[in-house]
């Protein structure tokens, strides 16, 4: 379960995008008539905004990105032994790799790999995804700003946990 949660965190850690000044984020919110002070958010509010910003960020990245295998998709998944669904966002190539491994394991042609092994196996594609995200942020200020806001929200969430 921790490994699946870390998928999201690992993917977001790939966003090695230079941070924009916090003032830019505040200015954008003011332009739209709403100012959100991240330092004043509750844990529930931070989680809600993280989900919204992730959706916008990945949507903008997927639009910019021309390779569908590198599109980042989010889904709700309920871990075994839990009734609480978790939101998981990951690239298509990682989802396909996991599904292929499960099928191969079921057919007896391969062993079922751990999440860590699947991520290691897809290391080159994950590095390429990181490069694509950096390129997208450099070319599209909206993507860079969304990534900056997301980092701030995640820092607030970590502070409250």
């Amino acid at each position: 379960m921790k490994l699946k949660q870390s998928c999201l965190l690992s993917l977001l850690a790939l966003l090695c995008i230079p941070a924009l000044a916090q003032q830019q984020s505040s200015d954008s919110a003011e332009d739209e008539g709403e100012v959100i002070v991240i330092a004043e958010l509750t844990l529930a509010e931070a989680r809600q905004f993280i989900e919204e910003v992730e959706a916008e960020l990945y949507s903008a990245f997927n639009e910019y990105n021309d390779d569908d295998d590198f599109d980042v998709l989010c889904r709700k998944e309920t871990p075994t032994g839990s009734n609480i669904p978790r939101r998981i966002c990951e690239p298509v190539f990682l989802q396909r790799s996991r599904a292929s491994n499960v099928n191969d394991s079921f057919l007896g042609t391969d062993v079922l790999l751990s999440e860590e092994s699947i991520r290691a196996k897809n290391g080159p594609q994950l590095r390429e995804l990181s490069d694509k995200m950096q390129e997208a942020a450099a070319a599209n200020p909206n993507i860079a700003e969304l990534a900056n806001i997301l980092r701030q929200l995640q820092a607030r969430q970590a502070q409250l946990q």
Side-chain angles (χ1 to χ4, degrees), residues 15 20 24 41 44 75 140:
L15 294 172
L20 299 174
Q24 285 181 322
L41 294 177
R75 68 183 184 285
N140 186 331

Side-chain angles (χ1 to χ4, degrees), residues 93-115 117-118 121-122:
F93 69 82
L94 200 56
Q95 292 176 5
R96 286 184 180 153
S97 180
R98 184 178 301 106
S100 175
N101 178 249
V102 169
N103 286 339
D104 291 347
S105 172
F106 181 73
L107 296 173
T109 60
D110 199 0
V111 297
L112 187 60
L113 298 175
S114 68
E115 184 65 27
S117 296
I118 290 172
K121 180 180 172 183
N122 288 280

